[in-house]
Amino acid sequence: MFQIITDACCDLPADLLDKYKVAYIPMFVELDGKEYTDDLGKTFDDAWFLEQLKENKHPNTSQINVGRYMEFLEPYAKKSIPVLYVGFSSGLSGSYESSLNAIKLLKEKYPDFDVTSFDTKTASLGQGMFVMEASRLQKEGKTLKETVQWLDKYKTYLRSWFTVDDLKHLVHGGRVSKAQAAIGGLLNIKPILNVDEKGRLQNVDKVHGRKKALQRMVDETVTGVGLSIVPRFYVAYSGDEKALNKVIQQLEQQYPKTPITYYPLGPTISSHTGYGCIAVFSMGSKGK
């Protein structure tokens, strides 16, 4: 048996992870000079945070450093419990690199510690999907090595499509320029984004209007979808439940028997997307 660990960027609720005995490392969000803990809804006030985003406040986030990884992992090393860490994309944060450095230091003290840090090359419920699949494989009796082999094989099959309702947070995160945001706001332009094979967020296209943006995401999702791998859609959202319901309705029209899992974007991810982000995750019929 091995322990699955993830971080707060997976956007799965704490009670769900507790149910499946998945441990998680919280993230930290700083707003107006005060630090808050993103603990997947256990204590964090999501409704309050969404109001801050609606007021166009720009929180800052920080990666998990080497010391925090060592502190979290060492109890497992001491007890010789194998660990699979399913982590946030290395293309979006330095956390994954910090996890590798922490493991290297721990192995100097505990040379027999069996631990793997898996770079999902994704975020939010894309990462959450891999956490749930790892849990499924573990329950089926797969070893840590077999589980990592499955994750490694299928991580390039993941399809991630995003849109945001306001470009200002993408400006704050360096994704678009102030000039592009100003023009986009005037023309009601909405970006279509996805995550490339290196795990980096990229602008794919832009469309006029929210309605077209949501439809485009659904169209891209169902193109080449491979539901035989993971027979489920995952949808993440930051506050706009009307848009969430629209996307779910559109997916159900084309795949009425396919389950759809949806959860709010956590504060770490929504700090960079702002209020009104919608993201759809699924598996493609082939790798990227």
Side-chain angles (χ1 to χ4, degrees), residues 52-244:
Q52 306 309 300
L53 295 180
K54 286 177 74 174
E55 292 176 11
N56 202 32
K57 291 189 177 181
H58 297 286
N60 294 309
T61 61
S62 57
Q63 67 188 50
I64 304 170
N65 61 34
V66 173
R68 287 187 61 218
Y69 276 116
M70 291 186 69
E71 182 181 1
F72 201 90
L73 293 172
E74 188 166 19
Y76 298 99
K78 283 182 177 179
K79 296 178 182 178
S80 299
I81 299 173
V83 166
L84 169 59
Y85 170 60
V86 183
F88 186 35
S89 172
S90 62
L92 296 171
S93 168
S95 291
Y96 174 71
E97 187 65 29
S98 293
S99 74
L100 295 181
N101 290 330
I103 288 170
K104 183 179 179 181
L105 290 171
L106 282 171
K107 278 184 170 288
E108 291 177 3
K109 188 175 180 181
Y110 307 95
D112 296 328
F113 184 29
D114 185 5
V115 55
T116 297
S117 180
F118 179 76
D119 182 3
T120 61
K121 304 287 188 182
T122 187
S124 187
L125 292 183
Q127 178 181 338
M129 181 191 297
F130 286 129
V131 171
M132 296 308 296
E133 290 305 301
S135 180
R136 174 185 64 81
L137 291 164
Q138 182 188 55
K139 188 175 180 181
E140 291 176 358
K142 297 293 190 292
T143 64
L144 191 158
K145 183 178 180 181
E146 290 170 332
T147 301
V148 171
Q149 288 174 338
W150 189 98
L151 295 174
D152 200 49
K153 177 179 179 180
Y154 287 113
K155 71 178 178 181
T156 62
Y157 286 66
L158 182 70
R159 301 293 181 266
S160 312
W161 291 98
F162 303 77
T163 191
V164 298
D165 198 32
D166 190 329
L167 295 170
K168 292 175 184 175
H169 281 78
L170 293 183
V171 172
H172 185 68
R175 303 296 177 186
V176 299
S177 69
K178 288 183 179 179
Q180 288 173 320
I183 294 171
L186 288 171
L187 299 178
N188 196 27
I189 290 174
K190 307 299 180 185
I192 304 298
L193 309 103
N194 71 4
V195 176
D196 65 19
E197 60 185 18
K198 293 185 178 180
R200 301 172 302 193
L201 193 66
Q202 62 177 0
N203 296 321
V204 176
D205 202 357
K206 52 185 181 291
V207 298
H208 292 279
R210 179 75 157 169
K211 183 178 179 181
K212 289 183 179 179
L214 298 177
Q215 184 63 60
R216 174 68 181 276
M217 274 202 316
V218 172
D219 291 343
E220 293 289 356
T221 296
V222 301
T223 299
V225 71
L227 292 172
S228 62
I229 302 169
V230 178
R232 183 179 297 273
F233 294 112
Y234 284 77
V235 184
Y237 67 104
S238 57
D240 190 345
E241 294 189 9
K242 184 177 179 181
L244 167 70

Side-chain angles (χ1 to χ4, degrees), residues 8-79:
C9 287
C10 73
D11 286 345
L12 295 170
D15 56 358
L16 181 70
L17 294 181
D18 290 344
K19 176 182 176 181
Y20 287 94
K21 296 181 172 55
V22 174
Y24 62 92
I25 307 175
M27 306 288 279
F28 293 105
V29 177
E30 186 272 328
L31 181 62
D32 294 335
K34 185 175 180 180
E35 189 175 72
Y36 300 88
T37 302
D38 177 0
D39 56 3
L40 297 172
K42 205 161 194 174
T43 63
F44 192 89
D45 189 341
D46 292 304
W48 168 82
F49 191 73
L50 285 172
E51 288 301 316
Q52 306 309 300
L53 295 180
K54 286 177 74 174
E55 292 176 11
N56 202 32
K57 291 189 177 181
H58 297 286
N60 294 309
T61 61
S62 57
Q63 67 188 50
I64 304 170
N65 61 34
V66 173
R68 287 187 61 218
Y69 276 116
M70 291 186 69
E71 182 181 1
F72 201 90
L73 293 172
E74 188 166 19
Y76 298 99
K78 283 182 177 179
K79 296 178 182 178

